Amino acid sequence: MREAITVIGASLAGLRGVETLRSDGFDGRITLVGEESHQPYDRPPLSKQVLAGDWEPDRIHLAAPDRLADLQVDLRLGQRATGLDLEAHTVEVDGVAERFDGLLIATGAQCRALPGTGHLAGVHTLRTLDDCLAIRAALEGVPRRLLVVGAGFIGSEVASVAVDRGVEVTMVEALPVPLVRVLGAEIGTTMADLHRSHGVDLRCGVGVVELVGEDRVRAAMLDDGSVVEADVVVVGIGVVPNTDWLESSGLDLDDGVCCDATCLAAPDVTAAGDVARWDHPRYGRSVRVEHWDNAVEQGIHAARRLLQTDEEATAYAPVPWFWSDQYDRKIQVAGLTHPDDEVRMVTGSPEEGRFTALYGSGGRFNAVFGMNRPRQVMQFKSLIDQEATWEEALAYARELG
Amino acid sequence: MRVVVDFDLCESNAICMQVAPEIFEVRDDDFLYVLNEQPGEDRRSAVEEAVQRCPKQAISIQD
Ligand SMILES: Cc1cc2nc3c(=O)[nH]c(=O)nc-3n(C[C@H](O)[C@H](O)[C@H](O)COP(=O)(O)OP(=O)(O)OC[C@H]3O[C@@H](n4cnc5c(N)ncnc54)[C@H](O)[C@@H]3O)c2cc1C
Ligand code: SF4
């Protein structure tokens, strides 16, 4: 019988995990450790409503204070886990070893930095509330020329908010087409057009050689020889999972904490959210997913796993899904695209600003992309879940008309 | 149990429809319709899951 469960990472996956432990009837001790000093908060608004100044930070709590009290959790904010001893079943928090019967690892990810830019003021990444407020303040200053490095989803959302606030935006992307590896050239081009039609100076296929300035950033030198002047730089070139504290734990680490299909990383230890890599039965390989909905679902699954026996445990096999808000468009993707995929536009068109596109290869239906098409994305997501074939997906699309 | 949706927050991404289609429906006009505002107790766990999974925290349960 477990008496004490510790959750490391007091954000989305960790908190949903704690809620699940309680709703599943666990009445032992729960400790939730989080490095950030803020009450657990939601990240998507950091590149949307909060960055835009439409919402203040008090609107993004993940749980109301009375809800946290109800959960009877020993919430330890501003504390960092620094080590794990699997044998002894202890986790080191701020230098003190504490025993656990079950451990949920939910330490998320952090932004990759642009090498050699640490000394310059005005250069930001966006992961935390503090990052968000710093960028928000910077965009209020004058003159305001923003350079976004990387045309991924976060960079694109930042560009979109900044344009809305009247900031002059340049976006530099090393790939020839934004998001080409995830979305393919056709849909990636649609995303590029969206930025350009809103006045963003988007430059693809070029890299940043160096950011220059004395104390503050002043400009960026690009590898095509051009120079972009900027007062503020936001770097959005991906994230790395927070596994540094587990380096000597003996856990299998490979771009994330490696787990089996049930989210178990070692006996009595599970992982969830951005930090977790697990064997996904649907894909026959391990995946790590950096989406909000996955942090929720996996947080629930991995917490429950700690209360289950090996016989009771079930595989975690979701269809990945995420959304991104850019300008007046809601972008949603469900499933995982494959490099060999054919892309078929099935309803609407980019010109209308509203369409659905399907991805499939080898007779398999792999993914759906929607722009302002939430209902259809969810309908096709269900088909992916049922492992519909490419032909079945296209037939369903014809029915929708 | 009474299901309440804050339509100022809802962005019609239809996650709730996936979780509990008999209660939530996002139609072709891309608006969310609550089909049953007072579902029976047997639906509580589905509604609770919808509450947890709504990215906008737009759904609440009033007992
Ligand atoms: C700006 C932004 C916008 C986003 N927008 C979207 C979106 O529109 N749609 C979407 O699907 N997803 C979006 N996401 C992704 C989504 O927010 C993440 O997938 C989600 O936050 C992952 O949750 P998590 O709990 O796994 O990790 P995190 O939210 O990263 O939380 C991990 C927590 O663990 C703490 N921690 C780390 N190491 C330690 C340690 N050693 N000891 C103690 N605590 C530690 C961290 O400080 C952090 O608070 C966005 C993310 C960001 C940053
Ligand atoms: S999940 Fe939430 S935001 Fe999405 S449609 Fe349902 S209520 Fe609206």
Side-chain angles (χ1 to χ4, degrees):
Chain A
M1 199 47 220
R2 293 182 198 292
E3 281 163 15
I5 293 182
T6 298
V7 178
I8 307 293
S11 183
L12 189 57
L15 190 64
R16 293 296 178 254
V18 169
E19 289 174 342
T20 303
L21 293 173
R22 286 297 183 228
S23 63
D24 281 13
F26 176 72
D27 59 5
R29 199 149 48 81
I30 301 179
T31 307
L32 177 59
V33 180
E35 193 175 3
E36 292 179 81
S37 55
H38 301 287
Q39 291 291 316
Y41 61 88
D42 202 24
R43 288 182 212 281
L46 301 182
S47 52
K48 306 177 184 71
Q49 296 91 337
V50 179
L51 187 63
D54 295 339
W55 287 7
E56 288 311 313
D58 57 6
R59 280 194 64 173
I60 60 170
H61 289 310
L62 279 174
D66 54 335
R67 170 95 181 119
L68 279 172
D70 284 350
L71 290 169
Q72 304 216 9
V73 50
D74 179 10
L75 181 60
R76 308 253 293 269
L77 298 176
Q79 298 193 9
R80 179 178 158 76
T82 45
L84 168 66
D85 186 332
L86 289 174
E87 195 75 31
H89 270 54
T90 56
V91 59
E92 192 181 283
V93 179
D94 277 352
V96 180
E98 301 183 13
R99 219 196 117 70
F100 62 80
D101 299 317
L103 178 74
L104 169 56
I105 298 171
T107 45
Q110 60 181 294
C111 292
R112 196 170 277 145
L114 206 56
T117 58
H119 62 292
L120 285 177
V123 182
H124 304 261
T125 53
L126 178 49
R127 183 76 194 178
T128 66
L129 177 57
D130 297 342
D131 295 339
C132 167
L133 295 178
I135 298 171
R136 181 165 116 172
L139 292 181
E140 274 156 12
V142 273
R144 302 181 304 163
R145 289 160 309 180
L146 169 69
L147 169 65
V148 177
V149 181
F153 289 103
I154 302 284
S156 296
E157 290 188 351
V158 170
S160 135
V161 166
V163 162
D164 260 6
R165 299 185 62 175
V167 175
E168 204 180 291
V169 182
T170 305
M171 188 150 68
V172 175
E173 167 59 56
L175 295 169
V177 174
L179 296 160
V180 63
R181 293 206 195 107
V182 200
L183 301 178
E186 190 181 358
I187 305 298
T189 302
T190 308
M191 305 295 289
D193 293 344
L194 187 59
H195 289 302
R196 291 192 173 118
S197 69
H198 284 85
V200 173
D201 176 5
L202 172 65
R203 310 191 190 177
C204 295
V206 283
V208 174
V209 179
E210 193 187 3
L211 296 182
V212 290
E214 283 70 58
D215 305 320
R216 279 201 69 83
V217 65
R218 201 167 29 77
M221 325 278 283
L222 306 185
D223 63 11
D224 62 358
S226 59
V227 176
V228 178
E229 295 192 358
D231 310 295
V232 185
V233 176
V234 175
V235 179
I237 52 173
V239 299
V240 279
N242 287 324
T243 55
D244 46 330
W245 66 285
L246 297 166
E247 236 27 276
S248 60
S249 65
L251 283 181
D252 188 7
L253 305 177
D254 177 16
D255 180 37
V257 176
C258 300
C259 303
D260 71 3
T262 72
C263 303
L264 197 71
D268 306 317
V269 178
T270 58
D274 284 15
V275 77
R277 168 173 292 283
W278 83 102
D279 293 328
H280 196 310
R282 183 188 305 278
Y283 300 109
R285 61 182 167 91
S286 74
V287 299
R288 191 171 65 78
V289 175
E290 296 164 1
H291 308 332
W292 192 95
D293 187 54
N294 182 66
V296 172
E297 266 207 274
Q298 198 168 22
I300 294 171
H301 199 98
R304 196 160 280 161
R305 178 69 184 90
L306 289 174
L307 304 177
Q308 292 170 328
T309 62
D310 291 351
E311 289 69 40
E312 289 165 338
T314 56
Y316 177 59
V319 175
W321 170 85
F322 71 92
W323 84 98
S324 171
D325 297 336
Q326 298 170 32
Y327 310 101
D328 55 349
R329 308 296 159 84
K330 176 177 306 304
I331 286 130
Q332 293 179 308
V333 180
L336 291 184
T337 60
H338 189 277
D340 298 340
D341 280 348
E342 168 191 348
V343 182
R344 193 80 67 88
M345 202 81 78
V346 290
T347 33
S349 66
E351 293 70 39
E352 292 164 58
R354 196 164 184 254
F355 68 94
T356 309
L358 307 183
Y359 292 73
S361 51
R364 283 174 63 121
F365 171 38
N366 292 329
V368 53
F369 173 99
M371 186 179 274
N372 286 353
R373 276 289 182 194
R375 176 183 166 88
Q376 288 198 353
V377 169
M378 285 301 152
Q379 288 168 323
F380 283 107
K381 178 172 183 276
S382 299
L383 285 189
I384 299 172
D385 200 23
Q386 294 154 28
E387 304 196 354
T389 64
W390 183 234
E391 280 314 316
E392 284 165 345
L394 293 178
Y396 185 75
R398 282 192 293 274
E399 255 171 60
L400 290 175
Chain B
M1 163 176 60
R2 198 181 165 76
V3 177
V4 180
V5 173
D6 182 340
F7 286 96
D8 289 334
L9 291 178
C10 171
E11 54 162 30
S12 296
N13 56 32
I15 271 284
C16 53
M17 176 173 92
Q18 281 244 303
V19 175
E22 69 288 357
I23 298 169
F24 304 100
E25 183 181 1
V26 174
R27 300 210 180 127
D28 279 325
D29 60 8
D30 287 338
F31 284 107
L32 171 67
Y33 294 81
V34 180
L35 304 179
N36 183 354
E37 288 186 350
Q38 284 177 297
E41 277 305 308
D42 56 321
R43 304 309 302 141
R44 181 174 287 271
S45 72
V47 176
E48 279 174 350
E49 190 184 339
V51 169
Q52 279 204 319
R53 288 195 46 202
C54 168
K56 297 290 146 153
Q57 307 191 45
I59 311 172
S60 56
I61 299 175
Q62 288 177 4
D63 285 294

